[in-house]
Amino acid sequence: MRAIASINGECLPLAEARVPALDRGFLFGDAVYEVIRVYRGKPFLFEEHLARLRRSLDAIRLPYTDFDGLRQRVLRVIREHGFQEAIVYIQITRGSDVSRHHVFPEHPVPLEFFYVEEFHDHLEAQREHGVRVITHPDWRWQRCDIKSTNLLPNVLAAQAAREAGAYEALLYLPDGTLLEGSRTSCFAVLGGKLLTAPAAPNILPGITRALVLRLARQQGVAVEERVFRVADLPHVTELFLTGTTSEILPIVQVDNQVIGNGQPGPITRSLQRAYRQLVDAL
Ligand SMILES: Cc1ncc(COP(=O)(O)O)c(C=O)c1O
């Protein structure tokens, strides 16, 4: 797949991109990231993603401020290399020190890495018919609102889903509260209301989640940012995932529990249509 990287502003093919072994992103996961979808050469919700990147950087006290330069560099790579359907991955790390120490370097020099890669969307059939997911314990830390590269619990949950032949793993707390997927946000329709876990330190505030909340309110759907639990699943009539590359993906089965009538429901469908209209109008 065609992919162009940029490291501190220097462009090269992604396969040739290298970072120093002492980079703190590599040693400690001392880094934050973003993933942005590009449709027909245009980044979708770019400013929202940059704003979240800024919040993540502030939260880990990483002194990177060149958002205007970053925006221009990303747009230039998309334009000059003629990317149409693509994703942009951006990662900012706290850079390297002369040796490995947990504490911040005295004068950190952040490393800016991004790449733009062609994206082939293989999810069309799943968006139409829905996917199966599994539940998995949430083994993450207490600041999941920071989009950090510390993704080992997410990786293990995603792998468990893959090995179960499922698309995603829904992460649950010891009391059965369902928070979100390993790489997606999650919504349920319960008692006629659209529910999703409230923005709090235990979930990532998804950019797609925020958009879907807005679209649902515009459509007059009753929306509540409130948690739902594994025990609610037999009563849930619709369930879906949201994310930058997943978009809006209906869930028709969780573990052995069929959701609703086993088909994507009307609220999900109507939100999918509204999402598509926005993308088409980009
Ligand atoms: C844990 C988690 N939740 C939700 C999402 C979806 O966020 P967004 O809609 O911004 O892609 C992601 C995306 O990577 C994620 O990692």
Side-chain angles (χ1 to χ4, degrees):
M1 212 114 64
R2 203 162 60 89
I4 300 293
S6 163
I7 297 183
N8 291 334
E10 261 192 54
C11 283
L12 70 174
L14 177 59
E16 291 168 25
R18 302 281 180 272
V19 292
L22 283 178
D23 185 87
R24 296 176 60 90
F26 174 60
L27 292 178
F28 299 116
D30 190 355
V32 294
Y33 76 106
E34 280 296 326
V35 180
I36 302 157
R37 180 75 163 85
V38 176
Y39 296 95
R40 304 186 316 282
K42 293 175 213 153
F44 189 49
L45 305 173
F46 197 10
E47 294 311 313
E48 287 83 346
H49 282 281
L50 288 178
R52 185 173 63 186
L53 181 62
R54 187 190 293 266
R55 285 199 303 276
S56 296
L57 288 162
D58 286 347
I60 69 164
R61 299 163 56 202
L62 203 163
Y64 173 93
T65 52
D66 190 16
F67 298 98
D68 289 338
L70 173 62
R71 181 189 297 107
Q72 293 315 318
R73 285 186 282 282
V74 168
L75 291 173
R76 192 180 324 125
V77 169
I78 293 172
R79 192 177 58 243
E80 290 184 356
H81 294 269
F83 285 103
Q84 290 291 311
E85 300 305 308
I87 60 147
V88 181
Y89 176 88
I90 301 171
Q91 178 171 332
I92 313 290
T93 85
R94 208 182 306 271
S96 306
D97 208 343
V98 286
S99 61
R100 181 182 176 277
H101 297 294
H102 285 64
V103 294
F104 299 170
E106 211 166 321
H107 303 290
V109 181
L111 180 121
E112 178 202 283
F113 165 59
F114 74 82
Y115 65 83
V116 184
E117 183 178 46
E118 269 178 352
F119 181 74
H120 298 291
D121 188 354
H122 295 302
L123 290 174
E124 268 172 31
Q126 280 107 316
R127 282 192 205 102
E128 182 62 27
H129 301 294
V131 295
R132 279 194 323 107
V133 303
I134 61 164
T135 53
H136 191 281
D138 189 351
W139 290 334
R140 299 174 302 166
W141 70 328
Q142 292 172 38
R143 289 303 307 273
C144 299
D145 55 322
I146 300 171
K147 198 164 169 66
S148 96
T149 60
N150 291 264
L151 291 172
L152 188 53
N154 309 60
V155 164
L156 295 175
Q159 183 62 23
R162 168 64 59 89
E163 289 172 9
Y167 176 78
E168 175 61 300
L170 298 184
L171 306 178
Y172 62 87
L173 299 179
D175 72 351
T177 297
L178 286 164
L179 290 173
E180 60 181 336
S182 72
R183 56 194 188 278
T184 52
S185 312
C186 186
F187 288 73
V189 178
L190 183 65
K193 280 189 181 148
L194 183 64
L195 307 183
T196 194
N202 59 8
I203 65 158
L204 182 78
I207 302 297
T208 321
R209 171 189 177 279
L211 173 62
V212 165
L213 284 172
R214 180 157 67 78
L215 293 174
R217 289 186 175 115
Q218 277 170 9
Q219 296 189 351
V221 175
V223 176
E224 251 186 78
E225 291 185 54
R226 172 157 70 80
V227 294
F228 48 95
R229 296 187 166 74
V230 174
D232 293 320
L233 289 174
H235 314 289
V236 162
T237 52
E238 300 185 41
L239 192 65
F240 61 85
L241 302 170
T242 67
T244 293
T245 52
S246 301
E247 301 180 355
I248 300 175
L249 197 51
I251 297 170
V252 292
Q253 191 175 331
V254 183
D255 299 327
N256 291 322
Q257 177 70 52
V258 172
I259 300 302
N261 64 3
Q263 304 284 325
I267 293 177
T268 312
R269 284 277 181 250
S270 153
L271 289 167
Q272 284 180 317
R273 279 194 296 275
Y275 190 94
R276 187 54 43 202
Q277 273 173 12
L278 275 188
V279 167
D280 289 346
L282 189 61

